[in-house]
Every structure is written in structure tokens, then in C-alpha cells.
């Protein structure tokens, strides 16, 4: 089994991982303004060029696969005219799920930078160590927790407001800090 590569100290074209995450957060806010779960993603080439940006859109697109990561990968592949994005890095506000892990592997991304961990369905470290699965034919690095507080707060606020609008009781204080997804 091939070793998982080490991440670079920063992304080309950005002063820091946090600077790239700021752009993904802007995409997440765009999703929120449309009533979608606020997750945003950015795909950056190995030269520091933003290849694509996207936000969650499964409700508006009537497409359960319209996660921010999938949409960003689709757009970048279409722009590149190639289904492989070798050397590109995904920056996303929430740890990718199992479906998105598959797309990351198939696109041959070099790495993933994510904000908030997803204890319910995170497939990079929280629920599954996806990059280390022995049967995968591609390895990529990950950096988690980048602007995690801001990314997590956006999600928590979204779900708190949604529950409040639906007249649901607030969650138990013992559940504080968990991120409700879907």
C-alpha cells in the first residue's frame, strides 16, 4: 500500500490554508442564503489558480449528489476538459462524506483541506479514515480543522434557525457542539 503524502505548508496562490478557507466560507454563505445546508468548496490547481468554486445545492437542483465538493469537481473537470485533476486541492468547509471521498479519489486530487469535522458522516477522519483505505488506488493528503470554529458555527446556526422556524425544541445542552447535518 502506498503511503499517504504529506501536505504542503500552504497552497500555492494563498498566504495560508485559512485564506483559501475564507473563499470556501463565502460559498457556504451563498448556500445558506438559498436555504441549502451551508457547505462551500473551492478547487485550487497546483499553480494556485482557482479552478472552480461551489456550494451545496441538492435542494435547488433536486439532486442528492449536488454536494459542494461534487459540484466543484464537476465544474473544474469540465473547465479542464479532463476527468482527472492531478495536483489540485479541494478546500471545503465541512469534512467530506463517503460519496465525496469517492469523487476525490476518482479525480486524483492531491489533497483536501477541510474546516469542521463531521462526526455523523465524515469520511476523511471522523467516521472513516478514507485516505488510508487499503483498496483505494490513489492516496491524498488531508488537513482538517482549518477555521473549524467559523465553519462549524455557520452550520450550527443554520440548523438552530431551521429547528426554530419549524417549532422544534432546541437540542439538549449536552449535545452542544455537535453539528447536525441534514
Amino acid at each position: 500500500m502506498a503511503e499517504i503524502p504529506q501536505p504542503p505548508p500552504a497552497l500555492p496562490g494563498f498566504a495560508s490554508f485559512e485564506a483559501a478557507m475564507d473563499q470556501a466560507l463565502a460559498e457556504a454563505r451563498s448556500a445558506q442564503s438559498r436555504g441549502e445546508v451551508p457547505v462551500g468548496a473551492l478547487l485550487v490547481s497546483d499553480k494556485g489558480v482557482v479552478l472552480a468554486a461551489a456550494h451545496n445545492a441538492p435542494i435547488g437542483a433536486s439532486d442528492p449528489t449536488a454536494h459542494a465538493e461534487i459540484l466543484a469537481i464537476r465544474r473544474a473537470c469540465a473547465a479542464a476538459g479532463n476527468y482527472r485533476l492531478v495536483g489540485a486541492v479541494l478546500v471545503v468547509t465541512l469534512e467530506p462524506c463517503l460519496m465525496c471521498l469517492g469523487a476525490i479519489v476518482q479525480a486524483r486530487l492531491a489533497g483536501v483541506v477541510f474546516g469542521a469535522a463531521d462526526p455523523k458522516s465524515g469520511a476523511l477522519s471522523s467516521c472513516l479514515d478514507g485516505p488510508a483505505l487499503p483498496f483505494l488506488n490513489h492516496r491524498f493528503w488531508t488537513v482538517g480543522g482549518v477555521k473549524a470554529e467559523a465553519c462549524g458555527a455557520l452550520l450550527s446556526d443554520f440548523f438552530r434557525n431551521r429547528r426554530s422556524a419549524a417549532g422544534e425544541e432546541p437540542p439538549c445542552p449536552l449535545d452542544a457542539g455537535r453539528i447536525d447535518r441534514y
Side-chain angles (χ1 to χ4, degrees), residues 61-181:
S62 298
D63 178 359
T65 69
H67 288 197
E69 303 94 321
I70 300 289
L71 295 176
I73 289 170
R74 285 178 184 162
R75 290 173 187 166
C77 287
N82 195 333
Y83 71 110
R84 302 282 197 227
L85 299 169
V86 177
V89 174
L90 178 68
V91 180
V92 61
T93 58
L94 181 65
E95 180 182 0
C97 69
L98 188 57
M99 174 183 68
C100 294
L101 168 65
I104 290 162
V105 170
Q106 295 304 315
R108 302 298 192 262
L109 300 185
V112 177
V113 176
F114 67 90
D118 186 350
K120 287 187 171 185
S121 61
L124 300 188
S125 62
S126 296
C127 298
L128 177 69
D129 187 5
L133 290 172
F135 54 84
L136 293 180
N137 61 351
H138 175 68
R139 301 280 173 239
F140 60 93
W141 54 263
T142 63
V143 173
V146 176
K147 298 198 93 163
E149 190 172 306
C151 295
L154 191 60
L155 287 157
S156 294
D157 291 348
F158 173 82
F159 286 109
R160 184 179 311 108
N161 291 338
R162 192 161 92 172
R163 280 190 299 270
S164 177
E168 295 178 22
E169 298 236 351
C172 171
L174 296 176
D175 292 338
R178 77 165 198 226
I179 297 173
D180 291 329
R181 184 170 180 181

